[in-house]
Amino acid sequence: MLKIAKLKMNYQENPVGVTEVPQFGWILESNKRSVMQASYELQIAADEEFERLLFNSGKITSDESAHVFANGLQIKSSEKYFVRVKASDADGESSEWSETGYFVTALLTSEEWKAEFISAETKENAGESKGTYVRSSFGVKGKVKAAYAFTTALGLYKFYINGQKVGTDELTPGWTSYLKHLTYQTYDITTLLKEGENGVGAMLGAGWYKGKMGFVGNRNNYGDQTAFLGQICITYEDGTTDTIVTNSSWKGCNAPVLFSEIYDGEIYDAREEIEGWAEAGFAAEGFWDVETVSFNKEVLEAQSFSKVTEVEPVAAKRIFKTPQGDTVIDFGQNMTGWIHVKVKGKAGDRVELNCFEVLDAAGNVYLDNLRGAKETLTYICKDDQEAEYHPNFTFMGFQFAKIAAYPGEPKIEDFTAYAVHSDMEQTGTFTCSNPDINQLQHNILWGLKGNFVDVPTDCPQRNERLGWTGDAQIFCRTASYLMNTYHFFAKWLKDVAADQTPEGGVPHVVPDILSGKTDGDWLLEQGSHSAAAWADVAVINPWTMYLTYGDKKILEDQYSSMKAWIGFMEKHAKDYIWNYKLQFGDWVALDAQEGSYFGATPNDLTCTAYFAYSTGLFVKIARILGNSEDEKQYSDLYEKIVDKFQRTFFDSEGNMTAQTQTAHIVALYFNLVPEAYREKTVEGLLRLLDKENGHLVTGFVGTPYFCHALSQNGHTKEAYELLLKDDFPSWLYQVKMGATTVWEHWDGMKPDGTMWSPDMNSFNHYAYGAIGEWLYRVVAGIEADEEKSGYKFTTIYPRIGGGLDYVKANYSSVYGDITSQWNVSGDEVTMKVRIPHNTQAKICLDQAKEVLDGDGLEFVAENGFMSASAGSGCYSIRFRK
Ligand code: BGC
């Protein structure tokens, strides 16, 4: 039985708001093994019955089921298209048609925007961060066949039709380099409309656009006024159409949001609510004329994907009194989002909650590490009815909230936290017999949830929450096992490209709100762009998307950005040693001098290592895209950098000139060690590890690859030992200290509960969570292939060790689920593997001496393991080690 299980478009089900014909992909199901697709047929129609066929591929002989294009299909704006596919396998078995999917188009060209940005604010309000309403009404003249709304804002917005909030998105339109790239959202509003008069409105807040952002504290980074843009396209049953747009006829007013900012929280006065403001027949008394705001509509881009939403509720675990007498709610999980509060008071009564991450050593409220961020929710009751509220235009990083004010006795059920983040499909699960590792895995996942709030942030709590490129670079591979990050990164990488300097330099943070505004900051005054490991995000992240999803489009889209970045390094390198202004080096490594954030590994070394690594990846990318001139030019450059690296950072006896763990790790992992010195370099790393009693002292550059550098060089045992260390400094130290997310510092909280400096001490910082990819790639052994990327070919090679009795991991690839499970009992290992249909794999048995049951596979001995080629399907293999 061959079946199409899931039809996807641009890796999503039924995207709403696309401006190009999407890429199509599907998952095949079959009860057979070794199933490969022989052909497919793809149809696209204007109607659900497929009577008005617009595209029919006919039978296409192909094993491609992930990146299929409907070449030649012409699409129109604001339309719904229906899609179905069927396939047959190499045995000639055919599937039925898949379930029908659809995609909805947005506005295909910027000229189609007839709406104008409108604001209830004036330039006089530049210094304020209050909420406003804009509203209008419109007539619906007959039976509506379909209606779509296209909406966005300068600032943040919530969109309403007939009094009802449209969609479940939050914090729209997210954060991009607004003046160069602003997303808009598409909503199917067909069922929200009624014949006759309809009310329409939006509530706006300052958000990232206008509020205070960055630790240097600038506000109005993009503009002085919030503004809303909306266009509604209605198609009636009789084929006629209507367009409703925002323009100067709309009216504006202040909203009950008295204050709202990303760092400081929100003040909401329910007494200021205006009954019926977004409904039909509203008199709009006290409302004033809106101003139109000019803005370049060519930068608008439809966003159909990974929009921020309330993803999951987290119930309060306890309410308690601290030794200092504060009443505190504990949600049991460090997280990002906000609290829903239920309250019954009387008009003017206040709820005030101060959100924070950790308790201090004495068990009291600890706010110092939030630095300038207030993270405070304030709600003022309008009457004596029970009300429920959650913030609109802010978010908090917290596990706890101090109840600074609440009418009556707060009850645990009055407070529910919601994790708010970019909505992405969870693709990875990992469990094993060691509960501490499982907790670490949980913490890594929550680090992702907490820091993928439209942009990849360093942390979600203090007055920072910026798109630090280095953090996003080192965590990208891990994140892409855990969730489908394709659109999230594709969107953000556009801003990386948009914010590059004319020379190709890559800002430290994207969207770049720091360049030109760093006066007085001791660190960034030295430079706001182009740091090794940070700026290399321009190459490494698109490459990771290609590896994970097999997607060449992102390589094409980012090609000139990558090339410009390599060009920047080349231009500023001296005889192939690259270094430039402010470098973070092996940031916050423990081998730093007392009081310094900069690790001991010299910048020349880390910079040149990354120069080589990115250039090497770029050579591969040029080849994949068939650009042979670039391939040749940059492989010459690559060889020169590697040669220089080897001559500079190894002495004549093959010792590394920098005796740090990180120097050895990057040289090994980036393949920069002369073959003759490999053994010696590995020994050097082991010696440096031994010197620290088996502990790491690495920072942002060395940590992500430490275990890889060991396991790739015959020292899986030592890699496991490093992973399993649970005293300071180690990944599991934080687990033992009760962490529920990953910390910024190895010693964020000391064993006695006292804290590292409040200057920079986040308890939700995903960077060191980059160990996650080692769990998937090595412990579970699910590894992508550079040639047949997107897991069209997978190597399953779990490394047995660490005293683990079992490991079970699953990764939902674009072709389907890949499972790798192993159980050890004495010297017998049972492996259960699942390979998706229409893909192939190599299964490797670690340390295998004898195969007891190959489940039909032919295993042959290789160096230290046994391997077999496998087609799709499920296998249960037993071997003796
Ligand atoms: C951030 C980091 C970031 C670093 C760069 C910090 O303030 O939180 O994660 O990468 O600065 O120096």
Side-chain angles (χ1 to χ4, degrees), residues 215 371 458-459 462 464 468-471 508 523-524 534 584 587 598 700 744 760 762 765 767:
F215 42 82
R371 301 195 309 216
D458 54 338
C459 56
R462 66 180 178 227
E464 196 147 353
W468 281 98
T469 47
D471 309 46
H508 299 328
L523 185 66
L524 295 175
W534 273 249
F584 301 115
W587 185 247
F598 302 96
F700 274 37
E744 179 173 22
M760 222 181 61
S762 152
H765 225 79

PDB file of all heavy atoms in Angstrom, residues 215 371 458-459 462 464 468-471 508 523-524 534 584 587 598 700 744 760 762 765 767, ligand 1:
ATOM      1  N   PHE A 215      20.980  47.762  24.816  1.00  0.00           N
ATOM      2  CA  PHE A 215      21.472  48.173  26.139  1.00  0.00           C
ATOM      3  C   PHE A 215      21.988  49.606  26.137  1.00  0.00           C
ATOM      4  O   PHE A 215      22.227  50.186  27.178  1.00  0.00           O
ATOM      5  CB  PHE A 215      22.543  47.209  26.656  1.00  0.00           C
ATOM      6  CG  PHE A 215      23.525  46.798  25.608  1.00  0.00           C
ATOM      7  CD1 PHE A 215      24.602  47.600  25.280  1.00  0.00           C
ATOM      8  CD2 PHE A 215      23.353  45.614  24.918  1.00  0.00           C
ATOM      9  CE1 PHE A 215      25.491  47.219  24.297  1.00  0.00           C
ATOM     10  CE2 PHE A 215      24.238  45.235  23.925  1.00  0.00           C
ATOM     11  CZ  PHE A 215      25.309  46.033  23.615  1.00  0.00           C
ATOM     12  N   ARG A 371      18.981  43.898  34.588  1.00  0.00           N
ATOM     13  CA  ARG A 371      19.577  45.212  34.313  1.00  0.00           C
ATOM     14  C   ARG A 371      18.452  46.249  34.205  1.00  0.00           C
ATOM     15  O   ARG A 371      17.615  46.351  35.100  1.00  0.00           O
ATOM     16  CB  ARG A 371      20.454  45.154  33.065  1.00  0.00           C
ATOM     17  CG  ARG A 371      21.570  44.117  33.221  1.00  0.00           C
ATOM     18  CD  ARG A 371      22.660  44.250  32.218  1.00  0.00           C
ATOM     19  NE  ARG A 371      22.247  44.325  30.842  1.00  0.00           N
ATOM     20  CZ  ARG A 371      22.925  43.791  29.826  1.00  0.00           C
ATOM     21  NH1 ARG A 371      24.049  43.111  30.065  1.00  0.00           N
ATOM     22  NH2 ARG A 371      22.508  43.914  28.595  1.00  0.00           N
ATOM     23  N   ASP A 458      19.749  36.544  21.965  1.00  0.00           N
ATOM     24  CA  ASP A 458      20.712  36.012  22.927  1.00  0.00           C
ATOM     25  C   ASP A 458      20.005  35.561  24.191  1.00  0.00           C
ATOM     26  O   ASP A 458      20.321  34.535  24.770  1.00  0.00           O
ATOM     27  CB  ASP A 458      21.780  37.062  23.250  1.00  0.00           C
ATOM     28  CG  ASP A 458      21.196  38.394  23.717  1.00  0.00           C
ATOM     29  OD1 ASP A 458      20.023  38.673  23.421  1.00  0.00           O
ATOM     30  OD2 ASP A 458      21.918  39.147  24.389  1.00  0.00           O
ATOM     31  N   CYS A 459      19.031  36.361  24.634  1.00  0.00           N
ATOM     32  CA  CYS A 459      18.347  36.097  25.891  1.00  0.00           C
ATOM     33  C   CYS A 459      17.015  36.848  25.857  1.00  0.00           C
ATOM     34  O   CYS A 459      16.857  37.787  25.089  1.00  0.00           O
ATOM     35  CB  CYS A 459      19.198  36.569  27.072  1.00  0.00           C
ATOM     36  SG  CYS A 459      19.638  38.310  26.965  1.00  0.00           S
ATOM     37  N   ARG A 462      16.785  40.458  30.002  1.00  0.00           N
ATOM     38  CA  ARG A 462      17.380  41.748  30.344  1.00  0.00           C
ATOM     39  C   ARG A 462      17.206  42.746  29.196  1.00  0.00           C
ATOM     40  O   ARG A 462      16.645  42.401  28.145  1.00  0.00           O
ATOM     41  CB  ARG A 462      18.860  41.568  30.695  1.00  0.00           C
ATOM     42  CG  ARG A 462      19.698  41.118  29.528  1.00  0.00           C
ATOM     43  CD  ARG A 462      21.149  40.952  29.953  1.00  0.00           C
ATOM     44  NE  ARG A 462      21.956  40.483  28.858  1.00  0.00           N
ATOM     45  CZ  ARG A 462      22.824  39.484  28.951  1.00  0.00           C
ATOM     46  NH1 ARG A 462      22.971  38.820  30.084  1.00  0.00           N
ATOM     47  NH2 ARG A 462      23.549  39.151  27.913  1.00  0.00           N
ATOM     48  N   GLU A 464      18.314  43.568  26.546  1.00  0.00           N
ATOM     49  CA  GLU A 464      19.156  43.185  25.428  1.00  0.00           C
ATOM     50  C   GLU A 464      18.266  42.507  24.385  1.00  0.00           C
ATOM     51  O   GLU A 464      17.802  43.141  23.472  1.00  0.00           O
ATOM     52  CB  GLU A 464      20.298  42.291  25.926  1.00  0.00           C
ATOM     53  CG  GLU A 464      21.396  42.184  24.888  1.00  0.00           C
ATOM     54  CD  GLU A 464      22.787  42.038  25.491  1.00  0.00           C
ATOM     55  OE1 GLU A 464      22.942  42.142  26.702  1.00  0.00           O
ATOM     56  OE2 GLU A 464      23.720  41.816  24.703  1.00  0.00           O
ATOM     57  N   TRP A 468      21.783  38.594  18.282  1.00  0.00           N
ATOM     58  CA  TRP A 468      23.237  38.402  18.264  1.00  0.00           C
ATOM     59  C   TRP A 468      23.573  37.288  17.286  1.00  0.00           C
ATOM     60  O   TRP A 468      23.140  36.154  17.451  1.00  0.00           O
ATOM     61  CB  TRP A 468      23.762  38.069  19.660  1.00  0.00           C
ATOM     62  CG  TRP A 468      23.903  39.270  20.535  1.00  0.00           C
ATOM     63  CD1 TRP A 468      23.020  39.703  21.483  1.00  0.00           C
ATOM     64  CD2 TRP A 468      24.996  40.211  20.533  1.00  0.00           C
ATOM     65  NE1 TRP A 468      23.491  40.859  22.062  1.00  0.00           N
ATOM     66  CE2 TRP A 468      24.696  41.190  21.505  1.00  0.00           C
ATOM     67  CE3 TRP A 468      26.181  40.325  19.799  1.00  0.00           C
ATOM     68  CZ2 TRP A 468      25.548  42.265  21.765  1.00  0.00           C
ATOM     69  CZ3 TRP A 468      27.024  41.395  20.065  1.00  0.00           C
ATOM     70  CH2 TRP A 468      26.706  42.349  21.037  1.00  0.00           C
ATOM     71  N   THR A 469      24.380  37.664  16.299  1.00  0.00           N
ATOM     72  CA  THR A 469      24.642  36.720  15.205  1.00  0.00           C
ATOM     73  C   THR A 469      25.428  35.489  15.659  1.00  0.00           C
ATOM     74  O   THR A 469      25.188  34.394  15.153  1.00  0.00           O
ATOM     75  CB  THR A 469      25.405  37.450  14.089  1.00  0.00           C
ATOM     76  OG1 THR A 469      26.469  38.202  14.674  1.00  0.00           O
ATOM     77  CG2 THR A 469      24.495  38.390  13.319  1.00  0.00           C
ATOM     78  N   GLY A 470      26.348  35.688  16.596  1.00  0.00           N
ATOM     79  CA  GLY A 470      27.179  34.555  17.031  1.00  0.00           C
ATOM     80  C   GLY A 470      26.348  33.483  17.704  1.00  0.00           C
ATOM     81  O   GLY A 470      26.489  32.284  17.428  1.00  0.00           O
ATOM     82  N   ASP A 471      25.467  33.904  18.575  1.00  0.00           N
ATOM     83  CA  ASP A 471      24.615  32.944  19.291  1.00  0.00           C
ATOM     84  C   ASP A 471      23.782  32.153  18.288  1.00  0.00           C
ATOM     85  O   ASP A 471      23.649  30.927  18.381  1.00  0.00           O
ATOM     86  CB  ASP A 471      23.695  33.678  20.281  1.00  0.00           C
ATOM     87  CG  ASP A 471      24.454  34.634  21.202  1.00  0.00           C
ATOM     88  OD1 ASP A 471      25.303  35.389  20.704  1.00  0.00           O
ATOM     89  OD2 ASP A 471      24.187  34.624  22.415  1.00  0.00           O
ATOM     90  N   HIS A 508      27.056  42.830  14.402  1.00  0.00           N
ATOM     91  CA  HIS A 508      27.045  41.908  15.554  1.00  0.00           C
ATOM     92  C   HIS A 508      25.617  41.510  15.902  1.00  0.00           C
ATOM     93  O   HIS A 508      25.387  40.412  16.391  1.00  0.00           O
ATOM     94  CB  HIS A 508      27.661  42.581  16.788  1.00  0.00           C
ATOM     95  CG  HIS A 508      29.088  42.982  16.604  1.00  0.00           C
ATOM     96  ND1 HIS A 508      29.969  42.289  15.808  1.00  0.00           N
ATOM     97  CD2 HIS A 508      29.787  44.013  17.143  1.00  0.00           C
ATOM     98  CE1 HIS A 508      31.156  42.876  15.860  1.00  0.00           C
ATOM     99  NE2 HIS A 508      31.068  43.922  16.654  1.00  0.00           N
ATOM    100  N   LEU A 523      32.346  48.635  24.982  1.00  0.00           N
ATOM    101  CA  LEU A 523      32.688  47.517  24.114  1.00  0.00           C
ATOM    102  C   LEU A 523      32.426  47.862  22.653  1.00  0.00           C
ATOM    103  O   LEU A 523      33.332  47.816  21.809  1.00  0.00           O
ATOM    104  CB  LEU A 523      31.845  46.312  24.541  1.00  0.00           C
ATOM    105  CG  LEU A 523      32.124  44.994  23.848  1.00  0.00           C
ATOM    106  CD1 LEU A 523      33.523  44.503  24.212  1.00  0.00           C
ATOM    107  CD2 LEU A 523      31.100  43.946  24.276  1.00  0.00           C
ATOM    108  N   LEU A 524      31.205  48.260  22.378  1.00  0.00           N
ATOM    109  CA  LEU A 524      30.813  48.388  20.970  1.00  0.00           C
ATOM    110  C   LEU A 524      31.366  49.632  20.291  1.00  0.00           C
ATOM    111  O   LEU A 524      31.355  49.721  19.070  1.00  0.00           O
ATOM    112  CB  LEU A 524      29.293  48.324  20.852  1.00  0.00           C
ATOM    113  CG  LEU A 524      28.743  46.971  21.258  1.00  0.00           C
ATOM    114  CD1 LEU A 524      27.234  46.989  21.235  1.00  0.00           C
ATOM    115  CD2 LEU A 524      29.266  45.864  20.358  1.00  0.00           C
ATOM    116  N   TRP A 534      30.655  35.292  14.817  1.00  0.00           N
ATOM    117  CA  TRP A 534      29.384  36.017  14.811  1.00  0.00           C
ATOM    118  C   TRP A 534      28.971  36.247  13.346  1.00  0.00           C
ATOM    119  O   TRP A 534      27.953  35.742  12.888  1.00  0.00           O
ATOM    120  CB  TRP A 534      29.521  37.344  15.577  1.00  0.00           C
ATOM    121  CG  TRP A 534      29.272  37.206  17.052  1.00  0.00           C
ATOM    122  CD1 TRP A 534      28.209  37.706  17.733  1.00  0.00           C
ATOM    123  CD2 TRP A 534      30.067  36.510  18.025  1.00  0.00           C
ATOM    124  NE1 TRP A 534      28.293  37.369  19.064  1.00  0.00           N
ATOM    125  CE2 TRP A 534      29.415  36.636  19.276  1.00  0.00           C
ATOM    126  CE3 TRP A 534      31.250  35.781  17.987  1.00  0.00           C
ATOM    127  CZ2 TRP A 534      29.918  36.071  20.451  1.00  0.00           C
ATOM    128  CZ3 TRP A 534      31.750  35.222  19.163  1.00  0.00           C
ATOM    129  CH2 TRP A 534      31.093  35.365  20.359  1.00  0.00           C
ATOM    130  N   PHE A 584      35.047  39.218  19.549  1.00  0.00           N
ATOM    131  CA  PHE A 584      34.606  38.648  20.836  1.00  0.00           C
ATOM    132  C   PHE A 584      35.437  37.423  21.198  1.00  0.00           C
ATOM    133  O   PHE A 584      35.397  36.949  22.322  1.00  0.00           O
ATOM    134  CB  PHE A 584      33.126  38.275  20.784  1.00  0.00           C
ATOM    135  CG  PHE A 584      32.258  39.454  20.466  1.00  0.00           C
ATOM    136  CD1 PHE A 584      31.535  39.517  19.296  1.00  0.00           C
ATOM    137  CD2 PHE A 584      32.197  40.525  21.340  1.00  0.00           C
ATOM    138  CE1 PHE A 584      30.740  40.610  19.004  1.00  0.00           C
ATOM    139  CE2 PHE A 584      31.407  41.636  21.060  1.00  0.00           C
ATOM    140  CZ  PHE A 584      30.669  41.680  19.880  1.00  0.00           C
ATOM    141  N   TRP A 587      34.416  34.087  23.466  1.00  0.00           N
ATOM    142  CA  TRP A 587      33.627  34.890  24.412  1.00  0.00           C
ATOM    143  C   TRP A 587      33.256  34.124  25.685  1.00  0.00           C
ATOM    144  O   TRP A 587      32.806  32.989  25.610  1.00  0.00           O
ATOM    145  CB  TRP A 587      32.364  35.360  23.684  1.00  0.00           C
ATOM    146  CG  TRP A 587      31.464  36.290  24.420  1.00  0.00           C
ATOM    147  CD1 TRP A 587      30.202  36.022  24.849  1.00  0.00           C
ATOM    148  CD2 TRP A 587      31.738  37.651  24.782  1.00  0.00           C
ATOM    149  NE1 TRP A 587      29.670  37.125  25.455  1.00  0.00           N
ATOM    150  CE2 TRP A 587      30.591  38.150  25.426  1.00  0.00           C
ATOM    151  CE3 TRP A 587      32.843  38.488  24.624  1.00  0.00           C
ATOM    152  CZ2 TRP A 587      30.512  39.451  25.920  1.00  0.00           C
ATOM    153  CZ3 TRP A 587      32.764  39.785  25.108  1.00  0.00           C
ATOM    154  CH2 TRP A 587      31.605  40.242  25.749  1.00  0.00           C
ATOM    155  N   PHE A 598      36.884  38.011  27.607  1.00  0.00           N
ATOM    156  CA  PHE A 598      37.541  37.463  26.418  1.00  0.00           C
ATOM    157  C   PHE A 598      38.431  36.277  26.771  1.00  0.00           C
ATOM    158  O   PHE A 598      39.392  36.410  27.528  1.00  0.00           O
ATOM    159  CB  PHE A 598      38.383  38.562  25.746  1.00  0.00           C
ATOM    160  CG  PHE A 598      37.566  39.757  25.355  1.00  0.00           C
ATOM    161  CD1 PHE A 598      37.486  40.868  26.171  1.00  0.00           C
ATOM    162  CD2 PHE A 598      36.855  39.757  24.165  1.00  0.00           C
ATOM    163  CE1 PHE A 598      36.715  41.972  25.819  1.00  0.00           C
ATOM    164  CE2 PHE A 598      36.076  40.855  23.805  1.00  0.00           C
ATOM    165  CZ  PHE A 598      36.006  41.966  24.633  1.00  0.00           C
ATOM    166  N   PHE A 700      32.185  30.662  23.779  1.00  0.00           N
ATOM    167  CA  PHE A 700      31.264  30.507  22.649  1.00  0.00           C
ATOM    168  C   PHE A 700      31.883  29.806  21.440  1.00  0.00           C
ATOM    169  O   PHE A 700      31.187  29.127  20.696  1.00  0.00           O
ATOM    170  CB  PHE A 700      30.768  31.891  22.197  1.00  0.00           C
ATOM    171  CG  PHE A 700      29.570  32.396  22.941  1.00  0.00           C
ATOM    172  CD1 PHE A 700      29.413  32.154  24.295  1.00  0.00           C
ATOM    173  CD2 PHE A 700      28.590  33.129  22.288  1.00  0.00           C
ATOM    174  CE1 PHE A 700      28.304  32.636  24.983  1.00  0.00           C
ATOM    175  CE2 PHE A 700      27.476  33.610  22.956  1.00  0.00           C
ATOM    176  CZ  PHE A 700      27.333  33.360  24.314  1.00  0.00           C
ATOM    177  N   GLU A 744      23.825  31.398  30.493  1.00  0.00           N
ATOM    178  CA  GLU A 744      24.847  32.123  29.733  1.00  0.00           C
ATOM    179  C   GLU A 744      26.253  31.811  30.252  1.00  0.00           C
ATOM    180  O   GLU A 744      27.199  31.734  29.485  1.00  0.00           O
ATOM    181  CB  GLU A 744      24.580  33.632  29.876  1.00  0.00           C
ATOM    182  CG  GLU A 744      25.565  34.521  29.162  1.00  0.00           C
ATOM    183  CD  GLU A 744      25.137  35.985  29.207  1.00  0.00           C
ATOM    184  OE1 GLU A 744      24.352  36.347  30.097  1.00  0.00           O
ATOM    185  OE2 GLU A 744      25.585  36.757  28.335  1.00  0.00           O
ATOM    186  N   MET A 760      25.800  40.660  33.294  1.00  0.00           N
ATOM    187  CA  MET A 760      25.538  39.841  32.126  1.00  0.00           C
ATOM    188  C   MET A 760      25.336  38.424  32.618  1.00  0.00           C
ATOM    189  O   MET A 760      26.238  37.610  32.594  1.00  0.00           O
ATOM    190  CB  MET A 760      26.783  39.909  31.216  1.00  0.00           C
ATOM    191  CG  MET A 760      26.432  40.051  29.771  1.00  0.00           C
ATOM    192  SD  MET A 760      27.880  40.090  28.739  1.00  0.00           S
ATOM    193  CE  MET A 760      28.624  38.542  29.063  1.00  0.00           C
ATOM    194  N   SER A 762      22.446  35.831  32.163  1.00  0.00           N
ATOM    195  CA  SER A 762      21.157  35.326  31.721  1.00  0.00           C
ATOM    196  C   SER A 762      21.028  33.850  32.098  1.00  0.00           C
ATOM    197  O   SER A 762      21.989  33.083  31.990  1.00  0.00           O
ATOM    198  CB  SER A 762      21.068  35.510  30.205  1.00  0.00           C
ATOM    199  OG  SER A 762      20.226  34.549  29.630  1.00  0.00           O
ATOM    200  N   HIS A 765      19.868  31.366  27.869  1.00  0.00           N
ATOM    201  CA  HIS A 765      20.786  31.788  26.816  1.00  0.00           C
ATOM    202  C   HIS A 765      21.129  30.532  26.029  1.00  0.00           C
ATOM    203  O   HIS A 765      21.832  29.678  26.528  1.00  0.00           O
ATOM    204  CB  HIS A 765      22.045  32.315  27.515  1.00  0.00           C
ATOM    205  CG  HIS A 765      22.562  33.592  26.969  1.00  0.00           C
ATOM    206  ND1 HIS A 765      22.013  34.805  27.284  1.00  0.00           N
ATOM    207  CD2 HIS A 765      23.604  33.860  26.126  1.00  0.00           C
ATOM    208  CE1 HIS A 765      22.709  35.767  26.683  1.00  0.00           C
ATOM    209  NE2 HIS A 765      23.663  35.219  25.960  1.00  0.00           N
ATOM    210  N   ALA A 767      23.126  29.639  23.710  1.00  0.00           N
ATOM    211  CA  ALA A 767      24.426  29.386  23.079  1.00  0.00           C
ATOM    212  C   ALA A 767      25.064  28.047  23.497  1.00  0.00           C
ATOM    213  O   ALA A 767      25.386  27.213  22.640  1.00  0.00           O
ATOM    214  CB  ALA A 767      25.363  30.545  23.355  1.00  0.00           C
TER     215      ALA A 767
HETATM  216  C1  BGC B   1      25.185  38.687  24.517  1.00  0.00           C
HETATM  217  C2  BGC B   1      25.869  37.515  23.898  1.00  0.00           C
HETATM  218  C3  BGC B   1      26.544  38.040  22.681  1.00  0.00           C
HETATM  219  C4  BGC B   1      27.654  38.871  23.240  1.00  0.00           C
HETATM  220  C5  BGC B   1      28.644  39.341  22.255  1.00  0.00           C
HETATM  221  C6  BGC B   1      26.260  39.590  25.013  1.00  0.00           C
HETATM  222  O1  BGC B   1      25.795  40.689  25.671  1.00  0.00           O
HETATM  223  O2  BGC B   1      24.276  38.333  25.476  1.00  0.00           O
HETATM  224  O3  BGC B   1      25.255  36.346  23.893  1.00  0.00           O
HETATM  225  O4  BGC B   1      26.892  37.159  21.714  1.00  0.00           O
HETATM  226  O5  BGC B   1      27.153  39.934  24.015  1.00  0.00           O
HETATM  227  O6  BGC B   1      29.645  39.879  22.897  1.00  0.00           O
END
